Amino acid sequence: MDSHIAPVELEKAYRLLNHGPTVLVSASHGGVDNVMAAAWACALDFSPSRLTVVLDKMTRTRALIEQSARFVIQIPTARQVQLTHALGTTSLLEDPDKLQKSGAELFRIEGHDLPFVAGCSGWLACKLIPEPHNQSAYDLFIGEVVGAWADTRVFREGHWHFEDAGPEWRSLHYVAGGHFYAIGDPLIVATGSES
Amino acid sequence: MDSHIAPVELEKAYRLLNHGPTVLVSASHGGVDNVMAAAWACALDFSPSRLTVVLDKMTRTRALIEQSARFVIQIPTARQVQLTHALGTTSLLEDPDKLQKSGAELFRIEGHDLPFVAGCSGWLACKLIPEPHNQSAYDLFIGEVVGAWADTRVFREGHWHFEDAGPEWRSLHYVAGGHFYAIGDPLIVATGSES
């Protein structure tokens, strides 16, 4: 594992998602790895650390998650905008070489039988909390975060440091039709305590 | 209604939320209006247009939504960062003058018996889709968007135009402890079609 990658306390894992980045969702089952992009992922709880993600029935990644009950939500960076768009617009069902063509590089983290995408800024390993009604009626999946990591060059001590890292580290925020925004400048409100 | 406010097609309403902004949630019941901030709001479907929002059991706004089955999700701007933080850190249950002290100005839109917060960049009027298990187990509420509007100075023809508007129009993306980021610069991937 890259020496810049450090664990994030599970109770602070929501902070990787709190500012609303577009994410990459990865999963593995029966020797098949896949990765898709998703703009509709969101924190759900602090403790236990939980999140939601919307997964279309047409995606291969969803089937892998239904089979393995495990997935990774990771935060891609501005450097990965082409990769993110490619992973969000091609399907493994149509192109068996999708991952190879996209240039996605996968790595493993000990103790987690999951494919992690290299070069991201944060990773949340999740266990599916089965909710068949949500999954079937709304394509809505709930995960419990069982492990979290971040690249300390942009997230450390429980906080993003986009302003100190290079522009290539900014998170991606997708709108539509190939249009993303990078996260921008900090705005800090004076406050006596954490909220 | 401000002459800059124009309706947004319901099928494009998700684009107001797609880039993951922190939102203001407002509701009204029995003559009581309230507004809270929420970082955990997310698009759920294009058509019908649906969204999710996480509402803690301790919030007065949640009770108003449970009673009225209606709410507004609106996108505050960088100009409203103090307002957003104030609305997210004080409760109407503790301070009956919360709204007045925060400086929130409410307006009505014909045909919708709901309080809309003035000065935001987008508004989504929602009808609660009752899902008692999600609400009770996860504090997770699902809304169907029944009306959407945006300020045309920053969102028009189905797209955000942050880069052409002043910095005071940028959306807010909350992390923790009074730390927000504004949305940043566009990153556009060449693509043959809308995706």
Side-chain angles (χ1 to χ4, degrees), chain A residues 27-77:
Chain A
S28 183
H29 184 72
V32 177
D33 291 335
N34 201 18
V35 188
M36 62 178 274
W40 299 353
C42 193
L44 178 65
D45 205 349
F46 302 100
S47 180
S49 181
R50 288 175 177 155
L51 55 79
T52 56
V53 61
V54 180
L55 302 169
D56 192 89
K57 291 181 180 67
M58 298 293 289
T59 63
R60 185 75 176 91
T61 305
R62 172 177 170 150
L64 297 176
I65 293 171
E66 286 170 332
Q67 291 164 313
S68 66
R70 293 284 188 285
F71 58 101
V72 184
I73 297 287
Q74 47 240 306
I75 323 299
T77 67

Side-chain angles (χ1 to χ4, degrees), chain A residues 24 26 35 74 80 83 87 104-107 115-120 123:
Chain A
L24 299 177
S26 58
V35 188
Q74 47 240 306
Q80 296 173 307
L83 171 70
L87 291 171
E105 190 192 324
L106 302 179
F107 68 102
F116 294 81
V117 181
C120 290
W123 298 264

